[in-house]
């Protein structure tokens, strides 16, 4: 949903009062927002501020900006900013009229659930391919969806504290609904990260088959082999996309799963290779070292694979050699041919058709 900077005019929420702020700044920049909490001893527990004139990160996609919540920052799209604006407006009601705080809580829980459900439908459910005309759901979409969910998870504690101060002590038990919403966001985010691993699992199967079909004994020259080069380029391309949108801890967690999957698949595939020469084994070793070196340079997650050990343990397969043809001029061959000619012919053996054979038939007496 496109959002203009005018629709998201800067707001400050302090005890329910909306205070206008300066909106000067280039209109072409993506909006940036910040949400900060004040100290517990302050008069007001929460302050929300959206600023369109302070951009910490420039993006090639003008619909993507940064939102700061406390010390954390998130890449956000237009719908995430609409969500925050809606939450701010509801909190204004809850803070201004304390009697409405329980109703505000119910509405905010419904909004969070709706946002979580719709995000799942358009990304994991590929609904955006129909509603937005996308050709596919890419790693970028999965990463931005993960960031939007992380934004909600970071926002909920601030919303909880703001409503808690507006509620009577007997009503604070209702706030557990926000905790359930946060758990739903966490589960959904884990599914998004698992989807990234699943996508790379399909690609790993393809690369494993390509590596198996490579004639390692016939390879010449320095690595990488075409199959290994394609594998490395694909992993590095994914890292480049995800690094742009995901924070470092999340990036390391995702690639830990991807690397563990690749190690398992490549190890299994290496043990099925048929290499008959030391030259082919050396080519596989050099290409494996190239792979490990390039992946470790990403600094995404530790790459402590044992591919080199697996290559060393590969036993060379002796190439098939046909039996030498018999020489008819040799004495032994001539005598064999003479004895074979003198033997009476063997009568032909007739076989019953397969349909007449019953393995359960008992012999007749």
């Amino acid at each position: 949903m496109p959002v203009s900077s005018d629709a998201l005019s800067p707001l400050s929420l302090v005890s329910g009062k909306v205070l206008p702020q300066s909106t000067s700044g280039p209109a072409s920049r993506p909006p940036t927002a910040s949400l900060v909490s004040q100290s517990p001893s302050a008069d007001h527990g929460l302050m929300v501020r959206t600023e369109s004139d302070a951009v910490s990160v420039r993006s090639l996609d003008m619909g993507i900006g940064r939102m700061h919540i406390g010390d954390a920052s998130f890449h956000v799209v237009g719908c995430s900013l609409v969500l925050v604006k809606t939450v701010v407006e509801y909190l204004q009601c809850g803070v201004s009229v304390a009697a409405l705080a329980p109703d505000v809580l119910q509405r905010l829980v419904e909004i969070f659930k709706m946002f979580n459900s719709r995000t799942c439908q358009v990304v994991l459910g590929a609904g955006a391919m129909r509603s937005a005309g996308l050709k596919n759901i890419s790693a970028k979409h999965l990463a931005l969806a993960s960031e939007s969910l992380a934004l909600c998870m970071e926002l909920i504690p601030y919303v909880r504290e703001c409503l808690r101060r507006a509620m009577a002590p007997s009503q604070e038990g209702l706030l557990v609904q926000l905790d359930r919403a946060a758990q739903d966001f966490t589960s959904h985010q884990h599914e998004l990260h698992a989807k990234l691993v699943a996508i790379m699992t399909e690609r790993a199967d393809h690369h494993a088959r390509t590596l198996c079909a490579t004639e390692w004994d016939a390879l010449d020259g320095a690595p990488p082999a075409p199959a290994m080069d394609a594998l490395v380029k694909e992993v590095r391309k994914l890292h480049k996309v995800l690094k742009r949108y995901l924070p470092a801890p999340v990036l390391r967690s995702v690639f830990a799963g991807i690397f563990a999957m690749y190690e398992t698949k490549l190890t299994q595939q290496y043990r099925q290779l048929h290499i008959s020469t030391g030259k082919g084994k050396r080519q596989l070793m050099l290409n494996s070292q190239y792979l490990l070196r390039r992946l470790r340079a990403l600094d995404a997650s530790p790459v402590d694979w044992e591919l080199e050990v697996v290559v060393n343990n590969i036993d060379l397969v002796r190439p098939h050699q046909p039996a030498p043809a018999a020489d008819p001029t040799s004495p032994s061959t001539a005598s064999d041919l003479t004895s074979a000619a003198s033997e009476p012919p063997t009568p032909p053996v007739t076989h019953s058709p397969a349909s007449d054979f019953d393995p359960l038939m008992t012999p007749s007496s």
Side-chain angles (χ1 to χ4, degrees), residues 67-113:
M67 175 167 284
H68 300 270
I69 302 182
D71 296 330
S73 63
F74 306 90
H75 285 90
V76 292
V77 292
C79 62
S80 300
L81 297 180
V82 171
L83 172 69
V84 173
K85 180 178 182 289
T86 304
V87 170
V88 168
E89 291 173 348
Y90 272 100
L91 289 178
Q92 291 173 356
C93 297
V95 172
S96 299
V97 185
L100 295 178
D103 292 331
V104 168
L105 171 64
Q106 295 296 329
R107 298 298 181 271
L108 289 177
V109 170
E110 292 175 4
I111 289 172
F112 282 131
K113 288 183 177 180

Side-chain angles (χ1 to χ4, degrees), residues 46-68:
L46 183 69
M47 180 174 67
V48 180
R49 181 175 64 252
T50 20
E51 300 174 349
S52 59
D53 59 343
V55 181
S56 59
V57 173
R58 294 185 179 181
S59 173
L60 295 177
D61 303 294
M62 304 314 297
I64 302 174
R66 278 272 196 175
M67 175 167 284
H68 300 270

Side-chain angles (χ1 to χ4, degrees), residues 141 153 161 199 201 208 235 244 256 288 292 300 329 331 333:
H141 300 133
M153 289 186 282
E161 178 62 17
I199 291 174
T201 300
V235 175
R244 182 178 178 185
S288 300
L292 297 177
T329 60
T333 304

